[in-house]
Each structure stands twice: as C-alpha cells, then as structure tokens.
Amino acid sequence: MEYNPIYLDIVWVLFATALVFLMQAGFAMLEAGATRAKNAANIIMKNVMDVSIGSLVFWMVGFGFMFGANKSGWIGTSNFFLSDIDPATDSGMFDFAFFIFQTVFAATAATIISGAVSERTKFAAYLIYTVAVTAFIYPIFGSWVWGGGWLSELGDNGFMDFAGSTVVHSVGGWAALAGAIVVGPRLGKYTAGKSPVAIPGHSITLAALGVFILWFGWFGFNAGSTVSGNTGLIAIIAVTTNLAAAAGGVAALTLSYLLWKRFDASMTLNGVIGGLVAITAGTANMSPAMAALTGLIGGMVVVGAIVLLDRKLKVDDPVGAIAVHGFAGAWGTIAVGLFASATYGGVDGLFFGGGVGQLLVQLTGVAAAFLFVFSTSFIVFKVIDMTIGMRASDEDQIRGLDISEHQAAGYPDFAPAIPLVSYSTPVLSGAAVPSGAAIDETIES
Amino acid sequence: MEYNPIYLDIVWVLFATALVFLMQAGFAMLEAGATRAKNAANIIMKNVMDVSIGSLVFWMVGFGFMFGANKSGWIGTSNFFLSDIDPATDSGMFDFAFFIFQTVFAATAATIISGAVSERTKFAAYLIYTVAVTAFIYPIFGSWVWGGGWLSELGDNGFMDFAGSTVVHSVGGWAALAGAIVVGPRLGKYTAGKSPVAIPGHSITLAALGVFILWFGWFGFNAGSTVSGNTGLIAIIAVTTNLAAAAGGVAALTLSYLLWKRFDASMTLNGVIGGLVAITAGTANMSPAMAALTGLIGGMVVVGAIVLLDRKLKVDDPVGAIAVHGFAGAWGTIAVGLFASATYGGVDGLFFGGGVGQLLVQLTGVAAAFLFVFSTSFIVFKVIDMTIGMRASDEDQIRGLDISEHQAAGYPDFAPAIPLVSYSTPVLSGAAVPSGAAIDETIES
Amino acid sequence: MEYNPIYLDIVWVLFATALVFLMQAGFAMLEAGATRAKNAANIIMKNVMDVSIGSLVFWMVGFGFMFGANKSGWIGTSNFFLSDIDPATDSGMFDFAFFIFQTVFAATAATIISGAVSERTKFAAYLIYTVAVTAFIYPIFGSWVWGGGWLSELGDNGFMDFAGSTVVHSVGGWAALAGAIVVGPRLGKYTAGKSPVAIPGHSITLAALGVFILWFGWFGFNAGSTVSGNTGLIAIIAVTTNLAAAAGGVAALTLSYLLWKRFDASMTLNGVIGGLVAITAGTANMSPAMAALTGLIGGMVVVGAIVLLDRKLKVDDPVGAIAVHGFAGAWGTIAVGLFASATYGGVDGLFFGGGVGQLLVQLTGVAAAFLFVFSTSFIVFKVIDMTIGMRASDEDQIRGLDISEHQAAGYPDFAPAIPLVSYSTPVLSGAAVPSGAAIDETIES
C-alpha cells in the first residue's frame, strides 16, 4: 500500500476533535463548580444545549459563513449544510474531519458565554443567543481570519492567531462581557456603599476537575490546529501549551498570595486557563521560554482583569470568563507580535528583531474582534432582553434557576447549608440553597 | 522505511479503545448522579466490577464465542484465552488491538444493565449476571452479526449494525429490561392507586459529566469500529455521530417542554444518549442530514419509552437505560433500512430507493436480539433470584445499599436532606440518606 | 509523499501524553474523594500546583539531569531548558514530543506524594518538596534506568522497567513514605491503646471517577512508553495493562470480602490501581495470562500493604498511595524477573526458564530506588520541617486546610454532617466539616 498522508491527517484531526469536544465537560464542571448549588442543573443544561444547538446551527449555516467561498473578505457564502463536500473522495472525507474540528471550536466559543451570565439568565434567552453566536457572530469574525477574509490579508503575514486566542476565546469573552452587562449583576452582588459580595462556588473539586479537563483538551485545541498529523509542529505546540498553562497557574498563585496573603484556589485555576488562552495564538510560533513568559503574563492578566471587572467596573462574571477568555486572549494575540520567532515559524516579533509591523497587525485584529463582537452581541442581547427578557426575576434567583426553569433540584439528597446570621446579603439568606458561609471573599481590595 | 498500514490501524484502534474505555466513567457518573446518594458506592462498585470481571471473562471465553471459528453460524468455538494469536507477527499484534477494542465493547454492554437494576439489587447477584452477559449472552448474539454468523448472511447485504446499536446497546437494554422486571421496582416507587413516585438523582452535575464523557467516548465507539485508520470513513462517522447526539438532545428538550412546560434536565441528558445510540448502527452509511434526523427521532423515542415504561408498564428503571439503549438502539437499527444511502456506503434504504429488503433484514435482527437476549437474561436472572436472591431487603433499601453491602457511606461529610413532612412515600422517609424534596417529578402524565 | 515514520511516532507520543496528563485529574479526584471535605480545596491545589511547578522545573533542569549526556552513569548534565533541541528538524520535533511525554511522567511521580501527606501538610512545604522531586530526585533516579545510567547496564539486559513501576511509581511511593513519616499522622488517627481510626473520604463518586480516569490514562502511560507508533507492541501493551487492572480489582474485592465480609469499595479501587502499577514494568514483555497474574498479586499486595502500614507500622496514608505505588510498584518490577517471556520481548524470567539473573537485577533496581528515594526524600522533608515546618497546627487540621491555607470552603452550599455523639475521636468532633459517621472502618483487624 502506498502512503497517503491524508489518513494520518484525518486521524490526527479526529483525535484533536475528541479532546476539544471534552472541553465541554471541562467548561460545564468549572462553571457549575464555581457557581451555587441551586443553579447547577441550569448551568449544565446550558452547556449541553449550546454544544447541541451549536453543532446543528454551525452545520446548517455557520460553517458556510466561516469557510465558504469568500469573495468580499467579510463573509463566506457557500457550503451550507456541507453541500460542497463530496463523500466519495478522500479529500471530501478530510473536509468532513475539518468540519467536525471546526464545529467543536464553534461550540467552545459559545459555551464560554454561559458562565459569565450564569445564575440570573433565563434559559430560553440563552438558547436564542447561542443560535446567534454559532450561526453568525463567531463564523463571521472567523471568516475574516481563518476563512481567507480581510484580517488574513493584513500586513506581510496577515493577522496571526494560530489556534484562536482571539478567534475563539476573545470572541467568547467579549460576547460574555456584552451578556453580563445587559443581564446585570446577580441579585445581592452589588449594594451601593458596600463592597461587592463574593459569592463562592459550590464545589471546588468539580471546578478543579473542569480545569484539568480543559488543560487536557487544549492539547487537541492547539496541536489539532495544524489540521495535519504529517508535521512535527504538533510537538512544539504541545510543549508551549503545557508550559504556558503551568506558568499561568504559578503566576496567579503567586500574585494572589502577594495581594491577599492566601493561596487562592479560584484565582489559580483561572490563572491556568489564562495561560492556556494566552498561548493559543502563538503556540506554534514561539520558543518554550517565550511561551512560558506569555503564560506567566496571561495568569497575571487574569488576576488583574478579575479585580478590574469585579471591583471597578462592577461587571458580575461569576466564573471569570471575561477576564480569562477576553483579556488573556487579547494579551496572547498581542504577544505574538512581541515574542514570535522565525526560528519557530514564519515571523519575528518585536523583541526578536521583527519591528512593530506584526504587532500593529495583531493590535488591529484584537480591536476588530472587540468592536465587532461586543457591539453585535450587545445588540442581540438587548433585543432578546426587550422581547422575551434576559433576566430571571428576583424570586427565581432566590429560589435558584434549577427550580424556576427546570423544576428540579440539583442535589436533593443533601441538606443546604444554614445561612450565617451575619451573612452580608440578607436577600440571599432566603434562598432554597443558600451559599452558606461567605468564607471565600475571592476579591478583596 | 516502507509504509505498513497496519501501524496506523493499530494506533487508531487503540485510540478508540481508550475513548470507549472511558465510557465506563461516563456510565458510572451518569448512573450514580441519577440515583440516590445512599446507593452511590454500590453503583460505582458495580461499574468498576463489571469492567473488571467483563475484561477477564471476555478474554477467557467471550471473545472466542464471538469471533472464534464459527462453522454453525451460531457461536464461535476457538481462540479462547487468545490462544490463536501469534505475538511474533504484526497481524497478531493487530489481533490484540482488535481484541482489546472488543473487550471494551463487551464491558459497555455489561455496564448498561447496572443502572436499570440499581438501588435494589444485591451486589453478588449483579456480579454473577455480569459473568453471564460477558461470557455468553453478548458474545453469542455478537457472533451472529460480527462473527460471521447467520444474521451477517441475511439478505443481500446482511444485517447492518456498523457499531452496535443492536449488538451492544439493545443487547444491554433488553438484558436490563429482564433484570428490572425480575428484581422488581424500588421500594416506594409504585403504590396501588397512586401515581408512580419520581425519585430524583442525587447529583445533576455528575450525571451531566457522565453524558459529556459518553459523548466523547462515542467518537471512539463509532469511528473506531472501522478498525482501521487508513480510511476517510472515520471522518464522516464523527460528523454523523455528533449531529445525531445534538439532535437527540434538542428533540428531548423540545418534547419535554411541550409535554410538561419545563426544560427537563434528565430527559435532555437521556435524549443526547438516545441520539448517540440511534446513530450507532448507521453512522457510516448515512448523510449528515439523515443522521441528524435519526438522532432527532432517537431523542423522541427515549422520551416516549421512558413514559411508557414508567407510567404504563410500571417497569422501574432509575436511569432510563432500557429506553435509551433498548428502544433507541432498536430505532437506530431500523433507521438504517430507511435512511441509509449508497452514496455513504453500500446500500440504499427505503427512502433512498432501496426497497424494503434491507428494512426487513434490520427488523429481523432487532427481533432476534430482543427474543434471544430478553429470554436468556430473564432465565439467568430468575435462576439467580431463586438461588442467592436478586432483591435487597426493604430494610437494606431504606438504609441504602452502601451500608448494607459495603458498610460505607458515600458522602459521610454532608448532612442528608431532611425529609419533607408531606413526602409522598412514608417508607422512604426513614432512609439514612433520604431523597429529600421530591421536586423533580420527572414523569408526569 | 514518501513515508516518514517519525510523524506517526509523534502523533502516538502526543496522544499518550494527553492521556497521561489527564491522570492528574484522576489523582486529584481520587485523592480528594478519599479525604475529608474540609481539605478538598487544599488537595486539588496541590495537584494543580505539582503539575504546574513540575512542568516548569522539569523543563529547566529535570529533563537535563534525566536524559542529558550522562558520562558518569549517575546523572545527565546537558539539555537544560531544552538547549540541545533543534526546532528546525523533524528529529528535533520528535525530541520535543519525547520531552513533553517525559514531563507528564515526572508530574505523575510528583503528584503521588500529595495524597499520602494530605490533610495535615502545609501548602508551602508541599510546593518546596515538589521542586525537589521534579528537579532532582525523580530525574536522577530516572537517569540511572532510562537515561543510560548504571542500572541500565546491569546484567545481560539491564534493569527492566518498561513504563515505570519503579522509575515513576515506586519513586513516588517511597517519597510519599518519607513524607508521611516526617509529617506524622493526622490528628486523631492514632491514640495509644486504641485501634487506628478509619477516616472515610468525602466522596466515593469522585474517588471512583479518579480511578476510571487513571485506568484510561494508563493506556497512554504504558503503550506510549514505546515512544513509537510504528510498532505493534502497543497492542499487546494495551491488553496486558487492561487485564492487570481488572485482575487487581477482582483480587482486592475478593480478599477484602474474605477478610472483612464486605465488598470494600476503597480497597477495590486501590486494587485496580495496584494492578495497573504492577503491570507497568512488564507490560511489553509478558503474556496476557502472566499480566493478569501480576495484576492479581498486585491487588493483593495493595490490601496487605495497607493493613501493614495502617495497623502495624502506624504510617498514616489517607489514600493508600504508599501501598499502591511503592509496594505494588516494587512487586511489578520483581514480577518481570519471574514472568517475562522471550516470546513477548527480550528476556525469559525465572518461571520461563531464564534463571535468576534478571530477577537479581530487578531486585537490585528495586532496592536502589528505595534506598535513594527514601533517604533523599527523608532528608528534604526533614530540612523543610526544621525550617518552615511541614505540619499544620492542630487547630488548622480541625478547621480544615481549606480555611487555614486558602481561606475558602470547598462546599459552602452543603451543610456538614452532624458529628455522632459516640464518635470515637473527640478531637475531630469540633471540626468545621467533620467526617461524620465513621461507618467505613476501612481497616479492621
């Protein structure tokens, strides 16, 4: 039998697809663990449904908008329902593999949002937004970068975002920002004249499990983005990915210890993800040392952005998704313009003698993502809010969305914690499953 | 080095094996999450032991019965203990890979049963049945389809069940049906003149985690069934598998909302699995659109079958395994006769101009699986019941099997929920870890 | 395109790397599940940080010590920071793949220790030890076996430890033993004149999830150790790995039933891991039957060693890591000298006519591992203890390390179990999250 490299390519892409798919479980566990028990069923239902709806919608139209024939440079216009793929050929089969890999990417972008709007968003509203992001917002921006659109033509090398720090993560993060603003903070989170209330998640073990699963999935997310197994590039990608994650965790732990004199668990977990998000753009184009540095700074960006959002901007993001995916994604994309090295790919960044050219392209792409995604998402969320309504009622938030939306309790066999008498938000103390002792004041000034 | 395709085949099969193996974790989490906290140790012990015992027994005899030399068309009769495999050759090594892949399939069939008989079955009885199913029942039926037996010779193309909607899932489902009937419903489930009591599971997050892991594993389950990496077929399989799962989830969510005006979490989770089970037979032989349709109907079949079993037939299946694996598996196998397309494989189904020939073959296989597996399993369970006894005593059910069988509490650090005064089954209110507020009336007429 | 086997090798190694990485999640869930809720955040933080710190330190120096140029036979002295790897070549890319695979191995050795010292070790002390083990202790011993050092030259075939029963698992286990001795038992574990108190873990489902994930990861751990996909050897490795795990579980279940008349869940889970640890050395060099036997004895070794450590030696190991990794690892390494077969690799063991030569080499390696690792680890732990201190105060142990180290509660939404009046250790009854009913007297004489 003669060697046909396409089979190893397909095997590799499907391996990576499976890993990226499992990131849905990672997000579900991280988001559920980082929020309250009374909303656990709601969170996991959002995660299950965004990958379900996203898979269908991306097949119907999203993939065509993103990777279809793109004359304008602004949107693809063919291959809806995979109509252009010929199943009788090996290259058609590769196209199917490419499609399923892109599907799980789209689902990742969608699921990032669920955490940021959790604990107070109506389920139906979330489902509608999921359609919007996987059918239009994500694919259209994606077409600009990966579908041969205008950002891919910018400068000498085009906008460089190898595996999606911006295309997937910042897109998810900025959409999450719009959603969190439109839906508003959770009941009891901010009270005029008082410090923001830290509302601890209900299971640190599930949150940690989620992070480990995400880290695992990221090997597929980044190394799979070669969409080829016939390249040694996948090895350096695995190395840079892992080092950045490790450095992000160490940075967030260290910084939180310096700031608050404790080994903060939720910051550390978010720091790991921040490192992973940050390296995603430059994973194939940096030395291991620069990857570690990118992740290190990524972890610090996450801590800083969480404090900024939670304390200063008063944007309530229960799981830190905006900081992790939006901010660290932007940082990582910019880092390509600073730390990329021709030794590890096609371009030298500013610190390796490449000048500011690529850096400006990177900044342009980062800005374009923010402007396009935040504005379109804001409009979509506003329209949803003005029609069916985004926000669950105060009463439903107190009872928990599990009961109001799903008529189910997530943990009926366990007694809820008894609210402390001194608990700082009286509104919450009437909750069916209150968050108990507010020991974990995650953010303190 | 010249290209030897067998190495990529082995790599692919082992990749798929690992994914299918992890489905054991998926089943364990789904089943544990969907049942009560007081039986959690018992459930996970059943899952650990069925893969352990199943692996040993399938190696000793099951694999030989299923894939050994099969002159009669009814059972294989060689290769026990892998005695025919030559470790000195590459093809022998491929045989080892094939064997381990089939081992995790057999373990999947076995573990399906544990959920349906959970919360009231003696541990020793379950272990004995596990030997029966992995040594005889699963391998013998499997030999008819995948071991060159009579069903593989039926009609023009033989009975088509690419990855086991019937061979694995319906076999597990019908065995589960027999077990659930013989062991009877859980204490307090059915009371004459009253509606069946919905007994909610103790952790929606673990149940959801289980579903995500199963979905992940299914990429290996279906695409691994090519037992070759040198084929583009694995790509279309990944596409059809994912679309069917997504459609199954959407269908079950929608149907449950139409029926009961809530976004039912357990129905949606089971709908996803139903979509996956349904596509398993035709995963390599359908267009993406037909795969989505197969999964969509699969999700609806699951909802309908759960209502049928729980309300009308009064068969108590705590996790919905019979509906998901038995009914959706049968549906998916029939769907091949309707929706298969020669463009995507070797035969046209009824709706693609192929006539009723294949459909009749499919129906024959479905019927054969039910008749053989239900009857033999029923006999085995009855014999176990008449000798050592299947059913845990009322007292043990009230205390929970964790204490009666394992002398351990699954969650000793958490206070059990306080039973509501108005709780509808007084018997249960004395439980060590009662199921608390019966908020999740999963099935309502 | 001509066939270049290095790409399939890299794909295989990265696949295996991802699986081994996920073992971190397995260890985290197993260790958290097997300990008390009040220390859950602390346990997962240890697991997150040992892989983070380990990844960075192993990149900086550990990999160089283990696999760098090794003239003395005692330590490598080059390739720090991967300085010798050329990213411009395919073989350099393979080296990156080899490095990342070895990184996750080093992280595995490190994380084994966290369970044995859990619930009473200061977080900072643990972090410092993690640096020591991943920078020096693990790499130096590893260089003797896998880095071309003196153990690899011993006898006719060198010390045989294919995937690390000794190099990874016993190293982790003996370091854990040193740590458990230096830090001392948990408060309330041993009281003069009384039986040791069994302190049950807080979540049997998470512990079981951990075991399933570890079993899954072991397919990568063992079969990845070929560091090549162009070999059928990976198939027999998958078979022997799975059979040994299965046999280990069955053996531990059976033995615990014979000893204590119950189907002990924690023993069974540890028995599975014991079977896996035991087969790791000989996984590529044994028949399936001998692999099953090795795992069977491995499961029994685990039960025996847990009883020995807990009852006789009074070494408090909350998760059984010393028994599982230290003792079963030693057993499995010795088993190569007994059960290896030239039919399945390069040497015959004692029972296959090969004489005692290899057995003596194996015993030498086992002894060297114990002497080197236990003594160096003991010194490191003692130095840490005499400087910053290893042991959390009694008060911190009672409150739980989550509060004292991380100022967070792992499960703030759930009410802690009410301590039984008759609870045998009065000290513990004041715990914020007490371990409740001591139903699971894991070890009884």
Side-chain angles (χ1 to χ4, degrees):
Chain A
M1 182 173 177
E2 208 175 336
Y3 183 60
N4 185 342
I6 208 166
Y7 298 135
L8 184 58
D9 290 345
I10 294 175
V11 164
W12 178 247
V13 171
L14 294 187
F15 162 68
T17 297
L19 263 62
V20 177
F21 174 82
L22 198 65
M23 290 172 69
Q24 294 289 331
F27 280 110
M29 294 302 105
L30 175 56
E31 293 175 14
T35 52
R36 285 167 292 181
K38 64 181 176 180
N39 298 311
N42 185 254
I43 277 278
I44 63 93
M45 279 294 280
K46 284 179 179 166
N47 281 278
V48 170
M49 289 319 298
D50 60 39
V51 62
S52 295
I53 290 175
S55 291
L56 293 168
V57 169
F58 195 73
W59 161 58
M60 294 173 182
V61 296
F63 186 67
F65 287 144
M66 189 157 172
F67 293 102
N70 188 341
K71 287 182 200 159
S72 65
W74 292 88
I75 189 165
T77 54
S78 67
N79 211 4
F80 302 113
F81 285 90
L82 309 181
S83 58
D84 297 349
I85 299 182
D86 177 3
T89 64
D90 280 336
S91 74
M93 285 301 177
F94 176 82
D95 292 343
F96 279 126
F98 181 76
F99 160 71
I100 191 74
F101 185 66
Q102 295 300 333
T103 298
V104 290
F105 263 55
T108 301
T111 206
I112 288 168
I113 301 149
S114 61
V117 300
S118 60
E119 307 206 90
R120 76 280 199 195
T121 302
K122 285 185 186 172
F123 191 67
Y126 180 76
L127 296 188
I128 292 168
Y129 180 76
T130 292
V131 173
V133 74
T134 51
F136 305 105
I137 298 172
Y138 169 79
I140 289 173
F141 182 78
S143 78
W144 301 354
V145 184
W146 293 344
W150 69 274
L151 275 169
S152 71
E153 307 284 339
L154 218 60
D156 293 339
N157 306 283
F159 176 63
M160 292 175 70
D161 186 7
F162 188 79
S165 284
T166 286
V167 175
V168 180
H169 294 282
S170 281
V171 164
W174 304 142
L177 176 63
I181 291 172
V182 172
V183 76
R186 286 168 291 177
L187 186 67
K189 174 72 189 176
Y190 297 111
T191 309
K194 294 194 176 180
S195 292
V197 174
I199 302 174
H202 83 280
S203 175
I204 191 70
T205 44
L206 291 185
L209 174 65
V211 169
F212 278 121
I213 291 174
L214 287 169
W215 194 335
F216 168 75
W218 233 284
F219 286 105
F221 199 93
N222 283 2
S225 290
T226 59
V227 292
S228 171
N230 288 279
T231 167
L233 212 55
I234 59 180
I236 183 71
I237 293 172
V239 171
T240 56
T241 299
N242 191 61
L243 284 173
V250 169
L253 178 80
T254 307
L255 189 54
S256 67
Y257 190 81
L258 294 175
L259 290 172
W260 305 301
K261 294 282 169 283
R262 69 161 173 267
F263 300 107
D264 193 286
S266 70
M267 284 295 175
T268 304
L269 294 176
N270 274 329
V272 168
I273 308 296
L276 287 163
V277 168
I279 196 57
T280 297
T283 183
N285 303 110
M286 282 187 196
S287 68
M290 289 304 106
L293 182 58
T294 300
L296 194 84
I297 297 172
M300 293 191 290
V301 165
V302 165
V303 175
I306 287 178
V307 173
L308 175 73
L309 289 161
D310 192 89
R311 294 265 137 178
K312 306 296 171 200
L313 304 179
K314 301 214 186 304
V315 173
D316 183 20
D317 178 356
V319 306
I322 303 164
V324 167
H325 299 277
F327 283 76
W331 152 245
T333 309
I334 294 166
V336 173
L338 302 172
F339 301 149
S341 155
T343 314
Y344 290 86
V347 68
D348 276 322
L350 181 63
F351 292 178
F352 288 81
V356 298
Q358 191 62 38
L359 182 60
L360 293 175
V361 172
Q362 299 301 104
L363 288 166
T364 307
V366 166
F370 180 81
L371 292 173
F372 174 71
V373 176
F374 181 79
S375 59
T376 53
S377 295
F378 192 85
I379 292 165
V380 172
F381 280 122
K382 271 291 182 194
V383 170
I384 294 172
D385 195 33
M386 291 184 299
T387 50
I388 66 166
M390 278 283 287
R391 188 176 174 86
S393 70
D394 287 4
E395 190 187 28
D396 286 349
Q397 287 189 53
I398 291 170
R399 288 191 301 169
L401 302 185
D402 289 6
I403 290 171
S404 67
E405 297 272 10
H406 310 286
Q407 297 172 28
Y411 303 97
D413 288 1
F414 300 118
I418 299 150
L420 296 183
V421 174
S422 62
Y423 193 71
S424 51
T425 29
V427 172
L428 286 167
S429 64
V433 184
S435 58
I439 293 153
D440 183 12
E441 285 278 337
T442 303
I443 309 298
E444 289 169 332
S445 52
Chain B
M1 181 175 177
E2 208 176 335
Y3 183 58
N4 185 343
I6 208 165
Y7 297 136
L8 184 57
D9 289 346
I10 293 175
V11 163
W12 178 247
V13 171
L14 293 186
F15 162 67
T17 296
L19 263 62
V20 178
F21 175 82
L22 199 65
M23 292 171 67
Q24 294 289 330
F27 280 110
M29 294 302 105
L30 174 55
E31 293 175 14
T35 53
R36 285 169 291 182
K38 63 181 177 179
N39 298 311
N42 185 254
I43 277 279
I44 63 92
M45 279 294 279
K46 284 179 179 167
N47 280 278
V48 170
M49 290 318 299
D50 60 39
V51 62
S52 295
I53 291 175
S55 290
L56 293 168
V57 169
F58 195 73
W59 161 57
M60 293 174 184
V61 296
F63 186 66
F65 287 144
M66 190 157 171
F67 294 101
N70 188 342
K71 286 182 199 160
S72 65
W74 292 89
I75 189 164
T77 54
S78 66
N79 211 4
F80 303 113
F81 285 90
L82 309 181
S83 57
D84 296 349
I85 299 182
D86 178 3
T89 64
D90 280 335
S91 74
M93 285 300 178
F94 176 81
D95 292 344
F96 280 126
F98 181 76
F99 160 71
I100 191 73
F101 185 65
Q102 295 300 334
T103 298
V104 291
F105 264 55
T108 302
T111 207
I112 289 167
I113 301 149
S114 61
V117 299
S118 61
E119 305 206 270
R120 77 281 199 195
T121 302
K122 285 186 185 172
F123 190 66
Y126 179 76
L127 297 187
I128 293 168
Y129 180 76
T130 292
V131 173
V133 73
T134 50
F136 304 106
I137 297 171
Y138 170 77
I140 289 173
F141 183 78
S143 79
W144 302 353
V145 184
W146 292 345
W150 69 274
L151 275 168
S152 71
E153 307 284 338
L154 217 61
D156 292 339
N157 306 283
F159 176 64
M160 292 176 68
D161 185 7
F162 187 78
S165 284
T166 286
V167 174
V168 179
H169 293 282
S170 281
V171 164
W174 304 142
L177 176 62
I181 291 173
V182 172
V183 75
R186 287 169 291 177
L187 187 67
K189 174 72 188 175
Y190 296 111
T191 310
K194 294 194 176 177
S195 291
V197 175
I199 303 173
H202 83 279
S203 175
I204 191 70
T205 44
L206 291 185
L209 174 64
V211 168
F212 278 121
I213 291 175
L214 287 170
W215 193 335
F216 169 75
W218 234 284
F219 287 104
F221 200 93
N222 282 3
S225 290
T226 59
V227 293
S228 171
N230 288 279
T231 167
L233 211 55
I234 58 180
I236 182 70
I237 293 172
V239 171
T240 56
T241 299
N242 192 61
L243 284 174
V250 170
L253 178 79
T254 308
L255 189 54
S256 67
Y257 190 80
L258 293 175
L259 290 172
W260 305 300
K261 294 281 169 283
R262 69 162 173 268
F263 301 106
D264 192 286
S266 70
M267 283 294 174
T268 304
L269 294 176
N270 274 329
V272 168
I273 309 295
L276 287 163
V277 168
I279 197 56
T280 298
T283 183
N285 303 110
M286 282 187 197
S287 68
M290 289 303 107
L293 182 58
T294 300
L296 195 85
I297 297 173
M300 293 191 290
V301 165
V302 164
V303 175
I306 287 177
V307 173
L308 175 73
L309 289 161
D310 192 90
R311 292 266 137 177
K312 305 297 172 199
L313 304 180
K314 301 213 187 304
V315 172
D316 183 22
D317 178 356
V319 305
I322 303 164
V324 167
H325 299 276
F327 284 76
W331 153 245
T333 309
I334 294 165
V336 173
L338 302 172
F339 301 150
S341 155
T343 313
Y344 289 87
V347 67
D348 276 323
L350 180 64
F351 292 177
F352 288 80
V356 297
Q358 191 62 39
L359 182 61
L360 293 175
V361 171
Q362 298 302 104
L363 288 166
T364 306
V366 166
F370 181 81
L371 292 173
F372 175 71
V373 175
F374 182 79
S375 58
T376 54
S377 295
F378 193 85
I379 292 166
V380 171
F381 280 123
K382 270 290 182 192
V383 169
I384 294 171
D385 195 33
M386 290 185 299
T387 49
I388 67 167
M390 278 282 288
R391 187 174 174 87
S393 69
D394 286 5
E395 190 187 28
D396 286 349
Q397 286 189 53
I398 291 170
R399 289 191 300 170
L401 301 185
D402 289 6
I403 289 171
S404 67
E405 298 271 10
H406 310 286
Q407 298 172 27
Y411 303 98
D413 288 1
F414 300 119
I418 298 150
L420 296 184
V421 175
S422 62
Y423 192 71
S424 51
T425 29
V427 172
L428 287 167
S429 65
V433 184
S435 59
I439 292 151
D440 181 13
E441 285 277 338
T442 303
I443 309 296
E444 290 168 331
S445 53
Chain C
M1 181 175 178
E2 208 176 337
Y3 182 60
N4 186 342
I6 208 165
Y7 298 135
L8 184 58
D9 289 346
I10 293 174
V11 164
W12 178 247
V13 171
L14 294 186
F15 162 67
T17 296
L19 263 62
V20 177
F21 175 82
L22 198 65
M23 290 171 69
Q24 294 289 331
F27 280 110
M29 294 303 105
L30 175 55
E31 293 175 14
T35 53
R36 285 168 292 181
K38 63 181 175 180
N39 298 310
N42 185 253
I43 277 278
I44 62 94
M45 279 293 280
K46 284 180 179 167
N47 280 277
V48 170
M49 290 317 299
D50 59 39
V51 62
S52 294
I53 291 176
S55 290
L56 293 168
V57 169
F58 195 73
W59 161 58
M60 294 174 183
V61 295
F63 187 67
F65 287 144
M66 190 156 169
F67 294 102
N70 188 341
K71 285 183 201 159
S72 65
W74 292 87
I75 189 165
T77 53
S78 67
N79 212 3
F80 302 113
F81 285 89
L82 309 181
S83 58
D84 296 349
I85 299 183
D86 178 3
T89 64
D90 281 334
S91 74
M93 285 300 178
F94 176 81
D95 292 344
F96 280 126
F98 181 76
F99 160 71
I100 191 72
F101 186 65
Q102 294 300 333
T103 298
V104 290
F105 264 55
T108 302
T111 207
I112 288 167
I113 300 149
S114 61
V117 300
S118 61
E119 306 205 271
R120 79 279 201 196
T121 302
K122 285 184 185 172
F123 190 66
Y126 180 76
L127 297 187
I128 293 169
Y129 181 76
T130 292
V131 173
V133 74
T134 50
F136 305 106
I137 298 172
Y138 170 78
I140 290 174
F141 183 78
S143 78
W144 302 354
V145 183
W146 292 344
W150 69 275
L151 275 170
S152 71
E153 306 284 339
L154 218 60
D156 293 339
N157 306 283
F159 176 63
M160 292 176 69
D161 185 7
F162 188 79
S165 285
T166 287
V167 174
V168 180
H169 294 281
S170 281
V171 164
W174 304 142
L177 176 63
I181 290 173
V182 172
V183 76
R186 287 169 292 177
L187 187 67
K189 173 72 187 176
Y190 296 112
T191 309
K194 294 194 177 178
S195 293
V197 174
I199 303 173
H202 83 281
S203 175
I204 192 70
T205 43
L206 291 185
L209 175 63
V211 168
F212 278 122
I213 291 175
L214 287 170
W215 193 335
F216 168 74
W218 233 284
F219 286 105
F221 199 93
N222 283 2
S225 290
T226 59
V227 293
S228 171
N230 288 278
T231 166
L233 212 55
I234 58 180
I236 182 72
I237 292 172
V239 171
T240 56
T241 299
N242 192 61
L243 285 173
V250 169
L253 178 80
T254 307
L255 189 54
S256 67
Y257 190 80
L258 293 175
L259 290 172
W260 305 301
K261 296 280 169 283
R262 69 161 174 267
F263 300 107
D264 193 287
S266 71
M267 284 294 175
T268 304
L269 294 176
N270 273 328
V272 167
I273 309 296
L276 287 163
V277 168
I279 197 57
T280 297
T283 184
N285 304 110
M286 281 186 198
S287 67
M290 289 304 106
L293 182 58
T294 299
L296 193 85
I297 297 173
M300 293 191 289
V301 165
V302 165
V303 175
I306 287 177
V307 172
L308 175 73
L309 289 161
D310 193 271
R311 291 267 138 178
K312 306 296 171 199
L313 303 179
K314 301 212 186 305
V315 172
D316 183 20
D317 177 357
V319 306
I322 303 164
V324 166
H325 299 277
F327 283 77
W331 153 245
T333 309
I334 294 166
V336 174
L338 302 172
F339 301 149
S341 155
T343 313
Y344 289 87
V347 66
D348 276 322
L350 180 64
F351 292 178
F352 287 80
V356 296
Q358 191 63 40
L359 182 61
L360 293 174
V361 171
Q362 298 302 103
L363 288 166
T364 306
V366 166
F370 180 81
L371 292 173
F372 174 71
V373 175
F374 182 79
S375 59
T376 53
S377 294
F378 192 86
I379 291 166
V380 172
F381 280 122
K382 269 290 181 193
V383 169
I384 294 171
D385 195 32
M386 290 184 300
T387 50
I388 67 166
M390 279 283 287
R391 187 175 175 86
S393 70
D394 287 4
E395 190 187 26
D396 286 349
Q397 286 190 53
I398 291 170
R399 288 191 301 170
L401 302 185
D402 289 5
I403 290 171
S404 67
E405 298 272 9
H406 311 285
Q407 298 172 28
Y411 303 98
D413 288 1
F414 301 118
I418 297 149
L420 296 184
V421 175
S422 63
Y423 193 70
S424 51
T425 30
V427 172
L428 287 168
S429 64
V433 184
S435 58
I439 292 153
D440 182 13
E441 284 277 337
T442 304
I443 309 296
E444 291 168 331
S445 53

